[in-house]
C-alpha cells in the first residue's frame, strides 16, 4: 500500500471517530449488545418462578416470553432508519434509557400485565440499540479490514450473551428472586449512558427528504404480523387457525405495500436498490438460512439432552457451551479468514462445515455419546459463526454509509425472521417424523393415550407415567425411539438447507475489496491448506 493511501485511511479513521478512540467505542457498543443478547434468553430459566409468583394464564405466560423478541423484530427497521435521520447515537442513548426504565419496571412487576408491558418496552429499547450499534460501528471503522475485526469481536460478544443468559439467570434465581434477572441491567445502563454520551460519535445519513412516517409504521405493523404468525406456527398452532393465518396475511399485505411505497418515493425510507446488489441480497439470504438451521437445531438439541438423555437444565446448558466457545473463536478469527479466503469461500465453507457437523450428529442415539456430541457442537458453532460473520460483514460493507442504520436493521430483521421460521419449519418436520412412531403403534397402549403421546415427547412421558406397568415402559421406550428418529430426519433436512446456503453463497464476491486497494488476494488452494487459519 502506498504512503498516500495509508495517510488517507488514517485521515478517514480520525474523521469518523470524531476524536474518540474507535476501539474504546467498540467496547461501549459491545457492552450494549451484551445486555440485549443476555436479556433475550435470561428469562427462559425464570419462567417457573414467574409462574409460581404471578400466576399468569397460559396466554399471558406466552406473551411474557414472546413479546420481547416480537416487538424488537417489528421495530428494527423503524428505529434503524430513524437513526439515519436524527442521529444514531441519539437513538442508541434513548434505547439505553428506555432499557433501564423497562428493566426496573419488569423487576418490580406485581402482576402479569405489568410484566408484559415491561417486556414490550424492553423490546422497544432493544430495537433502538441493535441497529445503532452496527451502524455506528460502520461509521467509526471506515477501513474494511479493521471493520471486519470489529464485527468479529461484536459477533463473538453476541454469542457470549446468548449463552450467558440462562447461566446468569440460573445463578440469580438460586440466590435472589426472579426480578433480579432484570435488575442486573440497571447499573450497566447507568454507566453506559454517560460513557456513551462522552465517547460515541454522532452520525446521520444524508438527510435528504422527509422521514417516511407512514412507511415506517407499515413496516413495523407488517413485520409484527409476520413474526407473530411465524411464532404461532413454531409453537405448534394449527396452520389453518385464523389467529395464525390472519397475522401472516395482514403482515404480508402491509410489507408488500411498504415495498411498493418505497419504490415510488423519491427519498425512500429504505433504499431497495441495495437488494439489486448481489452481495447485499445474497448476504441477507445467507443470514436467514443460517439462523433457520441454528435456532431450530438448538431447540431440538435441548429437548434431546433433557428428555432423552435425562440431563438437568444446568447440565444441558453446559453441554451446549462448546458450541458457544467455538462461535466465539470463529468470530475472533473471522477477520483474518475473510482477508485470506474472501467472502465467497468463507461463507460457502462455513455452510459446508455446518452441514458436515449436522450429518455427524445423526449418529447420536438413545445413549449418551459425549465425544461425538462435543465434536459436532464445536464444528456446528464454528461453521455457523463463520457463515454469519462473512454474511454480516459483506452486507454492511456493501451498504452506503448514509444507509448504514437501515442496512443494519435489515440484517437484524433477517436474523429474527430466520430464527422464527427455523423453529416453525424444523419443529413441523420433527413433529411429522415423531408422531407416526408413537400414535397407535405401541402394544397395550389405548389409542387415546397413543394419540396424546404423539403430540410431544414430554407429553408422552406424562402419559407413560399415568399408565404405569409394562404399557407405560413400552410407551416411554417407543416415544424415545420415535424422538431420536425425528431428530435424525430433522438433521438431514437441516443439512439440505445448509447446502442450499452454500450454493447461494457462490454469488458473493470472490475477494474482499478494500478501499484504496485493487483487491485482497485469495490464496491458492495449497496455501489455504497450509494456512494456520483454515476452515
Amino acid at each position: 500500500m502506498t504512503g498516500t493511501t495509508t495517510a488517507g485511511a488514517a485521515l478517514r479513521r480520525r474523521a469518523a471517530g470524531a476524536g474518540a478512540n474507535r476501539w474504546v467505542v467498540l467496547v461501549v457498543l459491545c457492552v450494549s449488545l451484551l445486555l440485549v443478547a443476555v436479556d433475550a434468553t435470561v428469562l427462559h430459566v425464570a419462567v417457573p418462578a414467574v409462574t409460581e409468583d404471578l400466576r399468569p394464564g397460559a396466554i399471558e405466560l406466552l406473551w411474557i416470553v414472546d413479546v420481547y423478541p416480537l416487538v424488537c423484530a417489528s421495530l428494527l427497521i423503524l428505529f434503524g432508519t430513524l437513526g439515519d435521520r436524527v442521529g444514531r447515537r441519539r437513538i442508541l442513548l434513548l434505547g439505553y434509557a428506555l432499557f433501564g426504565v423497562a428493566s426496573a419496571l419488569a423487576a418490580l412487576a406485581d402482576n402479569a400485565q405489568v410484566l408484559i408491558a415491561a417486556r414490550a418496552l424492553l423490546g422497544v429499547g432493544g430495537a433502538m440499540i441493535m441497529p445503532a450499534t452496527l451502524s455506528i460501528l460502520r461509521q467509526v471503522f471506515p477501513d474494511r479490514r479493521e471493520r471486519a475485526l470489529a464485527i468479529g469481536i461484536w459477533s463473538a460478544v453476541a454469542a457470549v450473551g446468548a449463552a450467558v443468559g440462562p447461566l446468569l439467570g440460573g445463578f440469580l434465581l438460586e440466590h435472589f428472586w426472579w426480578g433480579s434477572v432484570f435488575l442486573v441491567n440497571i447499573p450497566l445502563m447507568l454507566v453506559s449512558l454517560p460513557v456513551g454520551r462522552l465517547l460515541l460519535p454522532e452520525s446521520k445519513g444524508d438527510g435528504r427528504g422527509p422521514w417516511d412516517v407512514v412507511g415506517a409504521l407499515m413496516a413495523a405493523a407488517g413485520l409484527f404480523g409476520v413474526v407473530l404468525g411465524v411464532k404461532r406456527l413454531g409453537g405448534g398452532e394449527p396452520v389453518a387457525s385464523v389467529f395464525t393465518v390472519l397475522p401472516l396475511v395482514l403482515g404480508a399485505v402491509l410489507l408488500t405495500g411498504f415495498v411498493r411505497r418505497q419504490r415510488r418515493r423519491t427519498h425512500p425510507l429504505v433504499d431497495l436498490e441495495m437488494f439489486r446488489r448481489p452481495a447485499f441480497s445474497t448476504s441477507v439470504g445467507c443470514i436467514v438460512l443460517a439462523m433457520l438451521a441454528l435456532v431450530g437445531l438448538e431447540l431440538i438439541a435441548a429437548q434431546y439432552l433433557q428428555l432423552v438423555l435425562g440431563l438437568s437444565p444446568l447440565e444441558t446448558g453446559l453441554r451446549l457451551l462448546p458450541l458457544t466457545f467455538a462461535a466465539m473463536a470463529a468470530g475472533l478469527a473471522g477477520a483474518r479468514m475473510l482477508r485470506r479466503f474472501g467472502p465467497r469461500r468463507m461463507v460457502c465453507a462455513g455452510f459446508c462445515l455446518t452441514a458436515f457437523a449436522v450429518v455427524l450428529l445423526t449418529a447420536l442415539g438413545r445413549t449418551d455419546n459425549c465425544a461425538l456430541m462435543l465434536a459436532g457442537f464445536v464444528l456446528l458453532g464454528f461453521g455457523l459463526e463463520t457463515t454469519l460473520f462473512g454474511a454480516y460483514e459483506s452486507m454492511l460493507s456493501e451498504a452506503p454509509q448514509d444507509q448504514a442504520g437501515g442496512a443494519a436493521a435489515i440484517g437484524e430483521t433477517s436474523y429474527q425472521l430466520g430464527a422464527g421460521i427455523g423453529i416453525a419449519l424444523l419443529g413441523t418436520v420433527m413433529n411429522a417424523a415423531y408422531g407416526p412412531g408413537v400414535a397407535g403403534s405401541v402394544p397395550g397402549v389405548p389409542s387415546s393415550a397413543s394419540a396424546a403421546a404423539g403430540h410431544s415427547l414430554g407429553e408422552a412421558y406424562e402419559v407413560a407415567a399415568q399408565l404405569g406397568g409394562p404399557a407405560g415402559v413400552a410407551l416411554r421406550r417407543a416415544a424415545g425411539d420415535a424422538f431420536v428418529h425425528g431428530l435424525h430426519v430433522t438433521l438431514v433436512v437441516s443439512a439440505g438447507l445448509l447446502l442450499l446456503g452454500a450454493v447461494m453463497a457462490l454469488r458473493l464476491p470472490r475477494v474482499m475489496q478494500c478501499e484504496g486497494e485493487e483487491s485482497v488476494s485469495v490464496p491458492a488452494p495449497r496455501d489455504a491448506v497450509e494456512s494456520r487459519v483454515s476452515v
Side-chain angles (χ1 to χ4, degrees):
M1 181 181 288
T2 65
T4 302
T5 304
T6 305
L11 286 172
R12 287 192 300 272
R13 288 195 294 266
R14 284 198 294 272
N21 186 296
R22 59 194 180 280
W23 300 107
V24 174
V25 170
L26 177 62
V27 171
V28 177
L29 296 178
C30 285
V31 171
S32 311
L33 176 66
L34 184 64
L35 285 172
V36 176
V38 167
D39 213 73
T41 57
V42 71
L43 184 65
H44 293 173
V45 295
V47 167
V50 171
T51 303
E52 182 180 354
D53 187 21
L54 301 184
R55 303 292 180 183
I59 301 299
E60 289 175 328
L61 183 61
L62 185 65
W63 278 102
I64 287 172
V65 175
D66 284 346
V67 71
Y68 173 83
L70 182 61
V71 170
C72 185
S74 303
L75 297 178
L76 285 167
I77 289 179
L78 188 154
F79 285 118
T81 56
L82 183 61
D84 289 339
R85 178 70 51 175
V86 304
R88 293 151 189 158
R89 186 188 69 166
R90 181 176 299 174
I91 293 296
L92 181 63
L93 295 180
L94 286 173
Y96 285 166
L98 185 58
F99 212 83
V101 171
S103 296
L105 184 63
L108 301 175
D110 58 357
N111 59 66
Q113 293 79 15
V114 173
L115 184 55
I116 291 171
R119 291 277 291 168
L121 287 177
L122 282 169
V124 177
M128 291 179 170
I129 293 170
M130 289 295 287
T133 58
L134 266 180
S135 54
I136 292 175
L137 188 150
R138 170 74 170 84
Q139 176 210 358
V140 298
F141 290 95
D143 181 81
R144 186 171 182 181
R145 288 162 301 185
E146 285 191 347
R147 184 167 65 245
L149 177 59
I151 292 175
I153 297 171
W154 182 89
S155 61
V157 169
V160 171
V164 164
L167 297 177
L168 176 62
F171 173 80
L172 291 172
L173 285 172
E174 287 185 3
H175 296 84
F176 308 100
W177 93 112
W178 62 264
S180 61
V181 302
F182 298 108
L183 283 182
V184 293
N185 296 331
I186 297 176
L188 291 173
M189 286 301 172
L190 289 176
V191 173
S192 297
L193 265 172
V195 171
R197 183 174 177 81
L198 286 173
L199 297 180
L200 295 179
E202 184 59 282
S203 65
K204 300 180 182 179
D206 56 25
R208 291 178 296 177
W211 187 59
D212 184 10
V213 180
V214 174
L217 294 176
M218 288 177 66
L223 285 170
F224 185 91
V226 170
V227 175
L228 177 60
V230 167
K231 279 187 171 293
R232 286 184 61 82
L233 287 175
E237 295 294 329
V239 178
S241 169
V242 65
F243 297 108
T244 301
V245 173
L246 188 60
L248 284 172
V249 171
L250 289 177
V253 169
L254 285 169
L255 289 178
T256 302
F258 169 75
V259 170
R260 290 180 176 177
R261 180 181 177 86
Q262 298 310 298
R263 286 177 173 172
R264 292 196 305 264
R265 291 182 64 84
T266 306
H267 303 290
L269 186 71
V270 176
D271 185 7
L272 297 178
E273 291 299 314
M274 289 190 293
F275 284 95
R276 294 184 180 273
R277 303 177 183 183
F280 186 88
S281 57
T282 301
S283 297
V284 171
C286 288
I287 292 170
V288 171
L289 275 176
M291 287 309 301
L292 192 153
L294 173 64
V295 176
L297 286 178
E298 279 193 335
L299 180 65
I300 295 169
Q303 293 177 337
Y304 170 77
L305 292 171
Q306 293 185 61
L307 297 179
V308 176
L309 299 186
L311 302 181
S312 69
L314 180 59
E315 290 172 329
T316 298
L318 292 174
R319 286 293 184 93
L320 292 172
L321 273 182
L323 189 152
T324 301
F325 289 141
M328 290 169 55
L332 295 175
R336 186 176 178 184
M337 290 192 292
L338 188 64
R339 289 196 303 269
R340 186 166 181 81
F341 301 116
R344 182 188 300 174
R345 286 187 181 180
M346 182 176 178
V347 177
C348 187
F351 271 123
C352 290
L353 181 63
T354 309
F356 173 76
V358 167
V359 172
L360 183 66
L361 290 174
T362 58
L364 293 173
R366 294 294 305 274
T367 57
D368 190 357
N369 190 333
C370 190
L372 175 64
M373 200 179 303
L374 175 63
F377 284 169
V378 167
L379 293 176
L380 185 68
F382 194 91
L384 272 171
E385 183 59 29
T386 298
T387 299
L388 287 171
F389 173 89
Y392 263 109
E393 198 284 333
S394 297
M395 180 202 70
L396 203 60
S397 297
E398 191 69 17
Q401 186 164 329
D402 63 335
Q403 289 275 329
I410 290 170
E412 292 299 320
T413 303
S414 303
Y415 185 101
Q416 298 288 346
L417 283 176
I421 294 170
I423 293 174
L425 177 62
L426 296 186
T428 300
V429 172
M430 180 70 192
N431 291 336
Y434 164 79
V438 178
S441 63
V442 183
V445 177
S447 58
S448 59
S450 294
H455 295 157
S456 69
L457 183 58
E459 194 166 345
Y461 283 176
E462 292 179 3
V463 173
Q466 293 171 2
L467 288 174
V473 172
L475 178 59
R476 189 179 180 90
R477 183 183 300 112
D481 291 340
F483 187 90
V484 171
H485 169 70
L487 173 65
H488 292 166
V489 173
T490 305
L491 289 171
V492 171
V493 171
S494 298
L497 292 171
L498 291 164
L499 292 177
L500 177 63
V503 174
M504 181 188 297
L506 296 176
R507 298 182 69 234
L508 289 172
R510 184 173 177 271
V511 297
M512 177 183 175
Q513 190 74 33
C514 296
E515 190 175 349
E517 295 182 344
E518 291 184 2
S519 68
V520 175
S521 60
V522 178
R526 179 181 177 185
D527 294 332
V529 171
E530 294 172 352
S531 171
R532 290 168 55 193
V533 183
S534 60
V535 181

